[in-house]
Amino acid sequence: MGRILCIANQKGGVGKTTTAINLAVGLAKSGARTLLIDLDPQCNATGGLGQPPAERHPLVSQQSLSETLRTTATAGLDVLAGSRNFRDVDALAHADPDQSATLRQHLSAGLTGYDFVLIDCPPSLGALTRLALANSTEVLMPIQCEYFAMEGLTQMIEVIREVMTAHPGRLRFGGILLTMYDHSLELTHEVDEEVRDFFGEIVYRTVIPRDVAVSEAPSHATSVIDYSPRTRGARAYVELCLEVLENE
Ligand SMILES: Nc1ncnc2c1ncn2[C@@H]1O[C@H](COP(=O)(O)OP(=O)(O)OP(=O)(O)O)[C@@H](O)[C@H]1O
Ligand SMILES: [Mg+2]
């Protein structure tokens, strides 16, 4: 089985979904068989790829995963659509340990054949994010370059550590990604320095600039890499893909 990247941060609006979509598209374009799982009831990753939400979340529906996978406009990229159905969210979130084992089997059975699986998490440290962490091999945490960026990170790291202890040797820190980076702002440089001082080499060299093309792409049901490939945002996400591929 390939690498499973959980894209998580309990803070909202830090660029989780944007990173999930663009990394998934970039990895698929590099030739890697890639699956994007939308675990967020907001279904932004699903919508951003031009797909409608699923009526039942594929991970709790009776169908096998292979029947619920959808292909996308990008060759090599499949998606497991999210669901807004609160019963499904509940079922996913409150799966008892036995059910969660079934879920893991369900997942691993459907994941063979992928080089990369990316899981887009909701902005919370709740059961959905824990479920994603427990089923991943690495966690990628986007951090927005703003005041309070580091606030709450200790809680997040505590939860990641808990999962690492519960499943030794499975989950590793894939990396921290600085998003909405604005070179002209003193604050951006302060956050950059603080995050790199604190986390050291697990912070990606690549930073994602604040770029309007990045925010426009989802309304065209596509990644910024397809929407506007020459922009700084698109180039940064391509660079991030290379860094992720390098960090095997
Ligand atoms: N590099 C960027 N430049 C400009 N706008 C961006 C950039 N990255 C993300 N955005 C915009 O910021 C907003 C939040 O991004 P996104 O939805 O990816 O965050 P999120 O962490 O997934 O949010 P949530 O916690 O609600 O799931 C969106 O409107 C998105 O288009
Ligand atoms: Mg999101």
Side-chain angles (χ1 to χ4, degrees):
M1 196 170 18
R3 293 165 65 183
I4 307 175
L5 274 74
C6 172
I7 301 174
N9 185 336
Q10 89 257 39
K11 246 185 214 307
V14 298
K16 292 181 289 295
T17 302
T18 304
T19 299
I21 291 176
N22 287 294
L23 193 55
V25 167
L27 289 169
K29 282 180 188 285
S30 80
R33 294 264 306 132
T34 305
L35 171 66
L36 176 55
I37 300 180
D38 191 352
L39 210 55
D40 184 355
Q42 297 181 100
C43 301
N44 293 150
T46 307
L49 285 171
Q51 305 265 345
E55 277 189 25
R56 306 295 321 267
H57 198 285
L59 291 180
V60 293
S61 80
Q62 296 303 313
Q63 288 169 293
S64 71
L65 279 196
S66 53
E67 289 172 74
T68 51
L69 286 169
R70 298 182 190 167
T71 54
T72 66
T74 306
L77 174 61
D78 295 340
V79 65
L80 269 190
S83 158
R84 296 203 172 106
N85 187 323
F86 68 91
R87 275 184 305 142
D88 291 356
V89 175
D90 235 33
L92 277 167
H94 297 114
D96 65 34
D98 288 347
Q99 274 178 314
S100 149
T102 318
L103 186 62
R104 187 158 310 131
Q105 283 154 9
H106 197 35
L107 264 175
S108 50
L111 299 187
T112 51
Y114 288 104
D115 301 308
F116 282 96
V117 176
L118 273 56
I119 309 180
D120 186 29
C121 291
S124 92
L125 273 182
L128 289 176
T129 296
R130 286 167 196 258
L131 179 73
L133 286 169
N135 283 284
S136 297
T137 58
E138 47 200 292
V139 49
L140 189 162
M141 189 155 69
I143 292 185
Q144 189 179 348
C145 294
E146 52 149 35
Y147 197 61
F148 293 138
M150 303 275 280
E151 197 99 321
L153 279 192
T154 30
Q155 280 166 289
M156 178 81 212
I157 289 164
E158 217 166 275
V159 169
I160 293 170
R161 291 238 165 88
E162 270 171 36
V163 175
M164 284 175 169
T165 313
H167 310 273
R170 185 169 158 82
L171 180 69
R172 69 178 171 105
F173 231 115
I176 307 263
L177 176 68
L178 294 170
T179 63
M180 298 184 229
Y181 202 97
D182 186 342
H183 280 279
S184 68
L185 294 181
E186 184 57 33
L187 179 61
T188 291
H189 295 285
E190 281 170 23
V191 172
D192 185 322
E193 205 181 305
E194 196 182 348
V195 170
R196 286 181 202 277
D197 273 355
F198 190 81
F199 290 104
E201 59 184 29
I202 62 168
V203 184
Y204 288 104
R205 285 190 309 276
T206 308
V207 298
I208 308 298
R210 189 178 280 284
D211 181 346
V212 67
V214 172
S215 57
E216 285 169 356
S219 64
H220 298 266
T222 186
S223 71
V224 70
I225 300 171
D226 287 299
Y227 172 65
S228 200
R230 287 168 193 277
T231 54
R232 289 182 313 130
R235 290 204 304 257
Y237 272 115
V238 170
E239 202 182 308
L240 176 68
C241 288
L242 297 175
E243 220 183 322
V244 167
L245 285 165
E246 222 173 74
N247 283 356
E248 209 162 334

